[in-house]
């Protein structure tokens, strides 16, 4: 339950505004203990943009990213703290408010959106520069107080020094008299290649972990607002169906139900308790409309349609990438390999149920929100649009997320809008909590995919011509139509991962076909890479077999101009002892260049022939993401990605019948259990390159490495994920007949 925060009486001095819009404040009168939650919610503190220094030496640093278990709440402030030479033991981290202009990610078009493993890489330069500006101003003030040239001053953590006279002033002491210039000083931070970091690249406990261990961490599902009631919504089974007729008599008769509210996309039930709301919803009798685009759609029909589009040379396509003349090379190739790969719909399966609280003002002209989302500013925009009010009238209270994986970042902000509309209808604060069944039935899924690849080999076994066509549902057209218009129909969420930027394939053509199926789609951890890279890396293995070359060696040949890429593959092969035979087990390798991150993985598997069940015993992985701000966390996130990838590879599948989802909970949507998790061996390679992503980069490796390992063991190639036991058994039986 949310508790009232005591007022913190802090007087703000003055603020500095930099050329890039960055500011920091120096405050006096800090309390002995400064909690991030108190700072974020207490208006008397009024932290200005990024850094506040208090007279007791406490340094408050704003963190603009959503914290959903990936560690951004720790990593970003460490960048600022490193450059300002702050004493990390005195740093308090404050989740920033929703404000694109101030807190937007420079790497995401200055949108405050935590996704795509783009947080550290996007904010890295600006956070370093701002930290250096803070340090410079502190040194300037100390030099003026001592009457010495600023060039004679230096810093140690939390202290400005004048070595000639042995004088020192703590940052807290400087805060009591500091004068802040109207403009930020111009500073030049050391290039990454030569920088000597103190905090960046070292390990420290994550700031969110203790609270999660002891139960004090705050999620929006923990919040209780005085006068709050509960809401539940019976949603249309197919997006766009709408409500034709409602019989709510039985729902209104449920003890605790207060009202039934018709909505465009379903029927809401308001009640005194969540259980009454759920029971009232269950009692509703609704006839749904029949105009939904997805009505009649099925998974099998989708695969058949997509496969035809992948084969049809006359089908309209999006030209995604073209280099050289692949068509000409394919015509003259010594041999050609042509294969199709498939990936089912997949669900985010985040642990914390989607939930939100809204309190709309009696006049409907303002609202306060309590929830956890991946984009604070998109949520504010959507709430304002739903109520027809200015964004300035939306007060947003942001909380920890119990997992996101892309689900809490969609532009329609569906679960947040639920609470807003029901609050407006009731005139009271409303908490909406989705059940697992709600979340699966109304999920936003990784699209259905059919990938068709064709490549030629010359007489020396080199790749001569490469053609790739990816066919899938639209993603951005559904989840983010604003960005979809900006990119003019080129959907990076759907098509990323089709590229082979590191492989030495000079003649290649990559195309996309995006189908409007009416299905709800969304980015899922690893986005298009999870399907497109699966196809690419299994196909590369097939080319290696055709060329008669070891799969590791074949990739190394393709990467002769990419030393970082070669290194991660070579290191992974060493870790796995690639050449050693293992009776009853097979090894498979995969490599991905993902937004600059170089990562390779090797899976060790066995297959139970009677059932077709695949067991992953070990997974070795090497990742080079440039400068790792928080190395231990990079390893933890890579392990997390491997587990996530195992689920997508082996068991996680959403199937559609007549436009509706067939699964309903974890008994029929199977996420990995502890028994399914392999031994994971992760090596982090620290290089002096700008940091690139780490939070999801290993996910795409896993399915292709497992498929390649199964082939190495059985001689049977699996070209569809998930590799369900039944599918594997069928493939093994077909393989026996083929090889008999």
């Amino acid at each position: 339950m949310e508790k009232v925060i005591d007022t913190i009486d802090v007087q703000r001095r003055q603020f500095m505004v930099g050329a890039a819009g960055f500011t920091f404040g120096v405050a006096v009168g800090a309390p002995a203990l400064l909690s991030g939650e108190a700072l974020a919610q207490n208006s008397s503190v009024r932290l200005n943009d990024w850094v506040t220094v208090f007279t007791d030496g406490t340094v408050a640093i704003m963190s603009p990213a959503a914290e959903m278990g990936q560690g951004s709440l720790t990593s970003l402030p460490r960048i600022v703290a490193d450059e300002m030479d702050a004493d990390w033991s005195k740093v308090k981290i404050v989740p920033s408010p929703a404000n694109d202009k101030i807190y937007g990610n420079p790497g995401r078009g200055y949108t405050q959106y935590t996704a795509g493993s783009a947080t550290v890489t996007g904010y890295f330069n600006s956070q370093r520069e701002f930290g250096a500006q803070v340090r410079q101003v502190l040194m300037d003030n100390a030099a003026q107080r001592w009457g010495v040239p600023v060039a004679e001053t230096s810093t140690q953590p939390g202290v400005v020094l004048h070595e000639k006279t042995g004088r020192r002033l703590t940052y807290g002491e400087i805060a009591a008299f500091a004068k802040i210039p109207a403009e930020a000083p111009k500073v030049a931070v050391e290039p990454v290649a030569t920088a000597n970091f103190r905090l960046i690249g070292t390990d420290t406990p994550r700031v969110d972990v203790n609270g999660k261990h002891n139960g004090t961490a705050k999620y929006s599902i923990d919040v209780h607002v005085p006068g709050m009631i509960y809401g539940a919504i019976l949603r249309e089974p197919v997006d766009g169906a709408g409500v034709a007729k409602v019989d709510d008599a039985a729902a209104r008769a449920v003890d605790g139900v207060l009202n039934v509210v018709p909505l465009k996309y379903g029927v809401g039930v308001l009640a005194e308790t969540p259980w009454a709301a759920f029971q009232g919803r269950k009692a509703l009798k609704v006839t749904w409309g029949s105009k939904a685009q997805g009505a009649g759609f099925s998974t099998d029909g989708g695969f058949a349609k997509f496969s035809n589009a992948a084969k049809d040379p006359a089908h309209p396509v999006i030209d995604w990438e073209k280099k050289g003349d692949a068509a000409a090379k394919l015509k003259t190739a010594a041999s050609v390999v042509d294969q199709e790969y498939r990936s089912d719909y997949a669900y985010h399966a985040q642990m914390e149920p989607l939930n939100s609280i809204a309190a709309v003002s009696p006049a409907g002209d303002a609202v306060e929100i309590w929830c956890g989302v991946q984009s604070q500013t998109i949520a504010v925009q959507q709430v304002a649009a739903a109520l027809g009010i200015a964004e300035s009238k939306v007060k947003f209270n942001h909380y920890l997320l119990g997992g996101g994986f892309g689900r809490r970042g969609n532009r329609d902000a569906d679960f947040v809008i639920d609470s807003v509309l029901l609050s407006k209808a009731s005139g009271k604060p409303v908490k909406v909590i989705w059940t697992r069944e709600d979340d699966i039935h109304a999920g936003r899924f990784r699209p259905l995919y059919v990938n068709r690849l064709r490549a030629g080999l010359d007489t020396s076994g080199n790749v001569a011509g490469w053609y790739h066509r990816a066919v899938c549902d639209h993603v951005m057209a559904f989840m983010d139509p604003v960005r979809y218009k900006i990119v003019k129909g080129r959907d990076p969420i759907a098509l990323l991962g089709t590229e082979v930027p590191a492989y030495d394939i000079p003649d290649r053509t990559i195309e996309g076909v995006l189908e409007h199926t009416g299905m709800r789609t969304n980015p899922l951890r690893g986005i298009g890479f999870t399907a497109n890279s699966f196809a690419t890396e299994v196909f590369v293995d097939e080319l290696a077999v055709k060329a008669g070359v070891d799969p590791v060696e074949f990739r190394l040949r393709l990467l002769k101009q990419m030393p970082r890429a070669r290194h991660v593959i070579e290191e992974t092969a060493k870790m796995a002892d690639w050449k050693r035979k293992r009776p009853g087990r097979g090894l498979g390798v995969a490599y991905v260049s993902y937004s600059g991150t170089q990562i390779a993985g090797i899976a060790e598997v066995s297959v139970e022939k009677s059932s077709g069940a695949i067991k992953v015993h070990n997974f070795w992985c090497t990742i080079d993401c440039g400068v790792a701000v928080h190395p231990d966390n990079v390893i933890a996130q890579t392990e997390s990605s491997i587990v996530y990838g195992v689920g997508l590879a082996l068991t996680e599948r959403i199937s559609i019948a007549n436009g509706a989802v067939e699964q309903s909970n974890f008994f029929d949507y199977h996420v990995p259990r502890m028994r399914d998790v392999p031994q994971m061996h992760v090596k982090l390679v620290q290089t002096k390159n700008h940091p690139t992503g780490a939070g999801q980069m290993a996910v795409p490796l896993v399915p292709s490495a497992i498929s390649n390992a199964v082939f190495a063991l059985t001689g049977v190639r699996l070209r569809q994920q998930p590799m369900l036991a039944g599918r594997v058994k069928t493939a093994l039986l077909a393989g026996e007949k083929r090889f008999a």
Side-chain angles (χ1 to χ4, degrees), residues 14-19 21-24 48 137 179-185:
Q14 50 185 317
F15 304 94
M16 177 180 71
V17 182
F22 300 120
T23 72
F24 76 89
N48 203 23
V137 170
K179 294 180 180 179
I180 312 302
E183 293 185 4

Side-chain angles (χ1 to χ4, degrees), residues 9 175 493 581 620 623 636 703:
D9 185 16
I493 300 297
K581 300 298 182 182
W620 295 270
I623 179 171

Side-chain angles (χ1 to χ4, degrees), residues 305-354:
K305 180 181 179 181
F306 289 10
S307 181
N308 289 335
K311 298 172 186 174
D312 182 4
H315 197 288
V317 299
I318 295 169
D319 293 322
W320 189 250
E321 183 186 41
K322 185 170 184 178
K323 294 188 176 182
D325 192 340
K329 293 290 184 180
L330 284 165
K331 288 179 181 178
T332 60
S335 60
V336 174
V337 179
D338 190 331
Q339 293 293 353
E340 180 180 285
Y341 305 87
R342 297 184 174 193
S343 297
D344 282 85
Y345 291 109
Y347 160 62
H348 297 82
Q350 72 289 339
M351 286 295 99
E352 182 196 13
L354 298 174

Side-chain angles (χ1 to χ4, degrees), residues 386-410:
L387 292 175
I389 61 177
E391 293 176 22
S392 61
K393 295 294 185 180
V394 180
K395 182 179 179 182
F396 187 85
N397 303 291
H398 200 223
Y399 286 81
L400 295 170
L401 285 65
F405 311 125
R407 180 58 181 91
R408 299 180 195 261
N410 51 302

Side-chain angles (χ1 to χ4, degrees), residues 346-369:
Y347 160 62
H348 297 82
Q350 72 289 339
M351 286 295 99
E352 182 196 13
L354 298 174
N355 66 93
S356 173
I357 301 172
V360 178
S361 66
D365 58 354
V367 62
E368 186 166 5
I369 305 292

